[in-house]
């Protein structure tokens, strides 16, 4: 296949799927990763896409872009399930955990709902997660606030204040972006405020994030890498982000 045809196909993939990875493109076109990176560099120069860690995203992937929870549930489903299963091992048998709003934390909630953990308290501001947990054996504490339609999460000053009064054993959080200098980020300022309160309210903070979040920077940073204790992901980050996580003494678990 000529390079020009390959570039056209890559451009189409980015437009239709929103993101492409170096590994997938290398396998699809039977070319080396170095060749893929050169292709992506040329396409970025032409304004077709924007390179990120491990691949590229559509050019219109702005810092405020945010998918609905329904849309995100169908993305990286297998990876999120693996991450959730690994996270289950970090849930204490007794005590309290906070589950941030999100689809990966939601996958963890679904697993917890099937277990008998009568001495565990789960605290969340997510309406879907609360629904999953409500019929199980664990104790549920629902944090209120104004519910964002896009994420079905309680936000606002009341939610921030409620979390600021807590000291949970473990908090499992999500993020839209994880970057070396910008830390953990999300597109919405209200969601960011709640996430910051969650990070500060727990003795141990565990980030659940699939590798598509690596190298991404959304509009608002809500936590530095030094503020989290562990990250559970589907593929270990490399390069500058890996070095930054190591400097911050963050445990990296690949599910």
């Amino acid at each position: 296949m000529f390079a020009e045809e390959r570039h056209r196909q890559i451009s189409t993939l980015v437009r239709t799927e929103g993101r492409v990875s170096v590994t997938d493109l290398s396998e699809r076109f039977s070319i080396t990763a170095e060749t893929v990176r050169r292709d992506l560099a040329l396409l970025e120069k032409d304004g077709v896409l924007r390179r990120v860690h491990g691949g590229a995203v559509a050019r219109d992937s702005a810092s405020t872009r945010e998918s609905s929870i329904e849309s995100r549930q169908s993305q990286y489903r297998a990876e999120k399930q693996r991450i959730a299963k690994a996270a289950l091992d970090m849930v204490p048998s007794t005590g309290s955990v906070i589950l941030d709003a999100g689809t990966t934390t939601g996958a963890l909630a679904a697993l917890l709902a099937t277990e008998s953990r009568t001495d565990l308290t789960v605290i969340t501001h997510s309406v879907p997660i609360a629904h999953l947990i409500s019929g199980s054996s664990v104790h549920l504490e629902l944090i209120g606030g104004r519910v964002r339609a896009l994420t079905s999460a309680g936000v606002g000053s009341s939610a921030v204040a409620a979390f600021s009064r807590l000291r949970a054993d473990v908090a499992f959080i999500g993020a839209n972006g994880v970057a070396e200098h910008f830390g953990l980020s999300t597109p919405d300022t209200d969601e960011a405020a709640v996430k910051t309160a969650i990070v500060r309210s727990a003795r141990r903070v565990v980030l659940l994030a699939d590798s598509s979040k690596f190298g991404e920077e959304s509009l608002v940073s809500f936590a530095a890498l030094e503020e989290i204790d562990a990250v559970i992901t589907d593929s270990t980050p490399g390069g500058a982000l890996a070095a930054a996580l190591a400097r911050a003494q963050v445990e990296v678990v690949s599910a």
Side-chain angles (χ1 to χ4, degrees), residues 21-117:
S21 74
V22 170
T23 301
D24 289 345
L25 292 177
S26 178
E27 294 176 355
R28 178 188 289 266
F29 297 113
S30 299
I31 56 177
T32 65
E34 289 73 18
T35 301
V36 172
R37 293 188 183 96
R38 286 196 295 269
D39 286 349
L40 296 181
L42 288 171
L43 290 169
E44 182 178 48
K45 187 177 180 180
D46 291 339
V48 174
L49 49 76
R50 180 168 60 87
R51 284 184 294 169
V52 296
H53 176 80
V57 297
R59 192 69 182 178
D60 62 351
S61 295
S63 62
T64 54
R65 182 178 179 180
E66 186 175 12
S67 302
S68 68
I69 191 169
E70 292 82 4
S71 174
R72 285 184 283 123
Q73 281 175 339
S74 63
Q75 299 171 349
Y76 305 100
R77 187 186 297 271
E79 290 85 351
K80 291 174 182 178
Q81 288 298 322
R82 297 204 308 270
I83 293 169
K85 288 179 181 178
L88 194 62
D89 293 334
M90 293 190 181
V91 177
S93 57
T94 62
S96 58
V97 299
I98 295 173
L99 295 184
D100 184 19
T103 52
T104 311
T105 49
L108 173 57
L111 293 177
L112 281 174
T114 65
E115 297 203 343
S116 177
R117 301 203 181 210

Side-chain angles (χ1 to χ4, degrees), residues 115-228:
E115 297 203 343
S116 177
R117 301 203 181 210
T118 57
D119 294 323
L120 180 68
T121 296
V122 173
I123 306 157
T124 187
H125 64 303
S126 165
V127 175
I129 287 177
H131 178 71
L132 282 170
I133 295 292
S134 61
S136 69
S137 62
V138 304
H139 301 289
L140 171 66
E141 293 285 343
L142 178 60
I143 300 296
R146 176 180 60 84
V147 178
R148 285 191 73 214
L150 195 64
T151 60
S152 297
V155 297
S157 58
S158 59
V160 171
F163 278 119
S164 67
R165 292 191 293 268
L166 301 177
R167 187 65 73 236
D169 294 304
V170 186
F172 294 94
I173 62 169
N176 295 74
V178 186
E180 175 190 3
H181 298 295
F182 203 55
L184 281 56
S185 57
T186 195
D188 184 76
T189 54
D190 289 335
E191 294 259 11
V194 175
K195 288 176 181 291
T196 295
I198 291 174
V199 168
R200 295 174 178 173
S201 71
R203 295 182 174 90
R204 179 171 171 80
V205 180
V206 180
L207 170 66
L208 308 184
D210 64 76
S211 55
S212 70
K213 311 296 177 58
F214 296 156
E216 293 291 306
E217 295 180 356
S218 289
L219 181 63
V220 189
S221 174
F222 65 86
L225 297 181
E226 290 78 8
E227 294 180 274
I228 64 175

